[in-house]
Structures are given as C-alpha cells and as structure tokens.
Amino acid sequence: MLFLVAALLLFGVVLGTVAHAPLDFTVVTAVVIAVWLGGFALRERLGRRRGTSAR
C-alpha cells in the first residue's frame, strides 16, 4: 500500500512538472523515452530468442 501511495505521489509530481513545461520540451522528452523503451524491448526480445538471460 505504501508503494502505491509513493507511486501516485511521484506520478502527480511528474504530471505537474509536465503541465508547466513547454510543449516542445514535453514532446522531445516523450520521444526520447519512447525510443529508449523500444530499444530495451527489442534487446529483451532478441535476448530471449537466443536463449540467454540478462541475469
């Protein structure tokens, strides 16, 4: 329960920050995060296909 409260608090802080940031900055940041997540997902998928684990 404490984790949920902390996550929601952090989420609110991040959304509050984005609401005050310029739109260009928000879009560029969102694209950077999306590319990073896409690269991570691709690396994980290829790693599982080869039968190796990152652990």
Side-chain angles (χ1 to χ4, degrees), residues 17-36:
T17 302
V18 169
H20 295 287
L23 183 61
D24 294 340
F25 175 77
T26 303
V27 170
V28 168
T29 305
V31 168
V32 168
I33 292 170
V35 168
W36 181 76

Side-chain angles (χ1 to χ4, degrees), residues 3-55:
F3 175 76
L4 181 60
V5 170
L8 288 174
L9 180 65
L10 183 62
F11 188 64
V13 169
V14 170
L15 283 181
T17 302
V18 169
H20 295 287
L23 183 61
D24 294 340
F25 175 77
T26 303
V27 170
V28 168
T29 305
V31 168
V32 168
I33 292 170
V35 168
W36 181 76
L37 287 174
F40 177 76
L42 184 62
R43 187 181 71 183
E44 288 293 313
R45 179 179 286 266
L46 292 176
R48 289 180 194 263
R49 193 172 287 173
R50 289 184 196 146
T52 60
S53 67
R55 295 181 213 186

